[in-house]
Every structure is written in C-alpha cells, then in structure tokens.
C-alpha cells in the first residue's frame, strides 16, 4: 500500500487526542471514514475532524472501497468480531488495547490473521515512547547489571462514578464487555511493557479480591509471575485505595543497581547505582500514539516492520486471565 486510508470503528475519548489526529500526521496516511452506532456522534466527530464520510454500521465502513485499513477503538468485547470482519475483507487492522476481552478471543484473531495473511496490530504504544525506550536502553546496556527481580505497584482511589456504579455501570466495570474491570483496562500496558523488557511470562498466579464492593469486578489484585528469562516478579493493583497511597511504580532490581519508573504518570526515571542517584526526565510527543501509528503505517507501506502485532500482544491476555483465574 502506498496511501493508507483509515476507517475508524468507534470514535470515543481515546481517538480525540491520543490516537485519532496521529493518523493524519504521517505521510501517506489519512482518515477516510468513521463509524459509531450513534448517528449524531458519528456525524459530529466527522465534522469536527474534517473526515469525509461517516457510518453507523461497521460492515458498511469495512466495505467502503476507499478504506483499506481499519482502526478498532471500541470496548474489548467487540474487538475480535470487528478484527475478523476486517481481515476477512483483506483490510489490516489496528486495535486498541487489550487485544480482546479474553485469551480465547486473541487466539481467534491470530488464527484468522494467519489464515488470511492480513496483519493485525495492537495499540501498545508505550513500547514506542521515548520515556520507555530510555528504560529499555538502561536495562539492555547492563547499567543495573543482571536483572534479578521486578516489582509492580499500582494504587489509585475510586473514581466518582464508581460510587454510583450500581445504578449506571460503566463498561470498564462490566467484565463481559471489558474483560475484567479496571484491571483489564489498566494492567495491559504495564504487563506488555514488562514482557517487552524481560521476555514472555511463562507462569503466573493471581489472587483477585473485591474489598470495597462498589461494583462486582475485582478491585484489589495481587500476583506473582516468572518470565522465560528466569526473572521473577510480583505485582499488586488496588483501584479503591486512599489518595495518600496513590502509586504508579515499577521497580527493577539488578546486581549493580535499581531502576524505577512509572507507566501512567511519567514520573522521572530513577536510577540508583554505586555512582549515585540519577533522576531522568524524558518528554513524550503530544499525540502519544504517533510513534506506534507511524510504525504501523510504515509496515503497511513496506518500509519497515512493526512488531506490535496481535501475536505479540496475546501473552498479555494470557497473563491477565491467569491472574483472574479464568482458566
């Protein structure tokens, strides 16, 4: 493909700033059409972003002869359906994380991609951001020596809408739609980064609980895991903690130092070695998905290879489903 003409299935918040504008920033790429089940929402989004066409039916968008690639930005439960529809139509797709609402759906997506030969990419964009590229550089160059252990800690207080979840449940708190509450929404980026840095997780055990009972999905989770590199790790997530406990940190312990960084707040990377302590600030681009979207487009144009595929993203769902005890 020389010119990538995108069709968006879904036009929610993530497409407004994180991803949507980036598709028009890359040479040889533009947004041709957008789809939402809401006629008013689809039309307003198209007008606001100067997009030529809008639809209320996903199949019509996929069948549009001027659309040759599809961006799927809907809740996870529909990812597999739309991805399979796109690939069977011969159109590559780029899917918001996580790849699907279950490990089994990920396998379905990979099977169709292999059968049709149509590529499928996943929006684990943090792999490509300068902040995390610096983290990877520090680890790969042996600055902290041999990595021995990894610890992840994530604590946030309840959101205002969580207190009214019983009357109006957000889709992120409906496991049949999201895959598993806030854990399935926020942990994917963290787990994808860990596997990008240290290898695939081959063993994982979890202890999901619901402590505050604001909603049915798990709100507090602990886990232990081992990477294929032999490195062990542990993690804890709490989505109902007190404001004073708010934490977003991954700590990597090596035999020559330690490295800590955040995933969502982009706090200064903290490096401690025998030479002292360094705090490293790395800015990210205004459209955080621009680097990975550029990589996807260059792949489709035959200019480079994007490794953030549905196959590389599937282990994240395997780990999450293991932690939640889905199998």
């Amino acid at each position: 493909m020389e010119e990538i003409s995108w069709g968006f299935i879904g036009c929610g918040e993530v497409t407004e700033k994180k991803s949507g504008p980036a598709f028009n920033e890359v040479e040889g790429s533009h947004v041709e059409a957008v789809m939402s089940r809401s006629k008013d929402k689809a039309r307003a989004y198209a007008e606001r972003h100067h997009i030529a066409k809008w639809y209320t039916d996903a199949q019509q968008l996929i069948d549009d002869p001027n659309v040759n690639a599809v961006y799927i930005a809907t809740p996870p439960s529909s990812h597999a359906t739309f991805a399979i529809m796109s690939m069977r139509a011969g159109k590559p797709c780029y899917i918001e994380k996580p790849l699907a609402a279950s490990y089994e759906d990920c396998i379905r997506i990979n099977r169709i991609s292999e059968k049709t030969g149509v590529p499928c990419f996943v929006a684990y964009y943090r792999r490509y951001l300068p902040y995390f590229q610096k983290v990877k550089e520090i680890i790969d160059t042996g600055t902290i020596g041999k990595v021995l252990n990894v610890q992840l800690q994530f604590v946030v207080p309840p959101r205002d809408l969580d207190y009214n979840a019983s009357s109006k449940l957000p889709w992120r708190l409906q496991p049949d739609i999201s895959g598993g509450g806030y854990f399935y929404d926020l942990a994917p980026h963290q787990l994808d980064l860990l596997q990008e840095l240290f290898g695939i997780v081959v063993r994982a055990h979890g202890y999901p609980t619901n402590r505050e009972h604001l909603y049915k999905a798990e709100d507090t989770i602990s886990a232990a895991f081992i990477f294929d590199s032999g490195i062990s790790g542990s993690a804890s997530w709490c989505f109902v903690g007190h404001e004073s406990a708010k934490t977003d940190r991954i700590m990597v312990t090596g035999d020559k130092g330690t490295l800590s960084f955040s995933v969502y707040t982009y706090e200064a990377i903290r490096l401690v070695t025998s030479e002292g302590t360094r705090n490293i600030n790395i800015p990210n681009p205004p459209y955080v998905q621009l680097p990975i979207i550029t990589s996807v487009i260059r792949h489709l144009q035959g200019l480079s290879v994007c490794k953030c595929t549905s196959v590389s993203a599937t282990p994240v769902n395997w780990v999450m489903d293991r932690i939640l005890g889905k199998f």
Side-chain angles (χ1 to χ4, degrees), residues 154 183 207-212 215 217-222 236-241 324:
F154 188 78
F183 173 73
Y207 304 91
T209 60
N210 189 316
R211 301 295 295 153
E212 289 296 314
Y215 38 78
E218 298 84 358
D219 61 22
T220 304
I221 300 157
S222 295
S236 64
W237 294 267
C238 180
F239 305 104
V240 289
L324 291 180

Side-chain angles (χ1 to χ4, degrees), residues 5 80 249 316:
S5 301
R249 187 180 72 159
V316 171

Side-chain angles (χ1 to χ4, degrees), residues 4 19-20 36 70 74 79 101 107 110 114 121 133 135 166 190 195 209 213 249 280 287 326:
I4 314 301
S19 61
S36 172
V70 178
T74 58
H79 287 183
I107 298 301
N110 291 333
E114 182 179 12
F121 306 94
Q133 291 285 310
V135 168
S166 59
Q190 299 163 325
Q195 295 190 98
T209 60
H213 302 286
R249 187 180 72 159
I280 306 167
Y287 303 136
K326 289 188 177 182

Side-chain angles (χ1 to χ4, degrees), residues 6 8 19-26 29-31 71 94 293 297:
W6 292 93
F8 287 7
S19 61
F23 289 91
N24 289 319
E25 290 288 316
V26 184
S29 169
H30 75 279
V31 182
Y71 170 38
Y94 174 68
I293 288 172
I297 291 168

Side-chain angles (χ1 to χ4, degrees), residues 23 34 41 53 67 108 121-122 133 194 221-222 244 254 286 296 315:
F23 289 91
V34 64
K41 189 173 182 179
K53 287 173 279 188
V67 169
R108 290 175 56 216
F121 306 94
V122 185
Q133 291 285 310
L194 291 182
I221 300 157
S222 295
S244 63
V296 169

Side-chain angles (χ1 to χ4, degrees), residues 99-148:
L99 173 57
S102 69
Y103 173 66
E104 287 79 6
D105 274 354
C106 294
I107 298 301
R108 290 175 56 216
I109 292 171
N110 291 333
R111 188 181 297 120
I112 297 301
S113 180
E114 182 179 12
K115 182 178 179 179
T116 60
V118 178
C120 176
F121 306 94
V122 185
Y124 283 124
Y125 61 86
R126 281 173 168 80
R127 292 191 200 179
Y128 291 79
L129 289 178
Y131 180 96
F132 299 105
Q133 291 285 310
K134 184 63 177 180
V135 168
K136 184 172 174 57
E137 176 192 317
I138 292 170
I139 293 169
D140 289 349
T141 54
T143 304
I144 62 170
K146 178 182 178 181
V147 175
L148 306 172

Side-chain angles (χ1 to χ4, degrees), residues 11-15 18 41 71 73-77 79 96-98 101 125 159 161-162 165 168-189 215-219 221 239 264 324 326:
C11 51
E13 181 182 356
V14 70
T15 69
K18 287 184 178 181
K41 189 173 182 179
Y71 170 38
T74 58
S77 61
H79 287 183
E96 271 303 323
K97 62 79 193 168
Y125 61 86
R159 306 181 188 190
L161 57 82
D162 296 345
K168 188 177 181 181
L169 199 65
W171 68 261
R172 286 179 174 84
L173 296 178
Q174 300 181 52
D176 59 329
I177 297 177
S178 66
Y182 287 131
F183 173 73
Y184 230 84
D185 184 46
L186 296 170
H189 274 306
Y215 38 78
K216 290 184 179 180
E218 298 84 358
D219 61 22
I221 300 157
F239 305 104
Y264 287 98
L324 291 180
K326 289 188 177 182

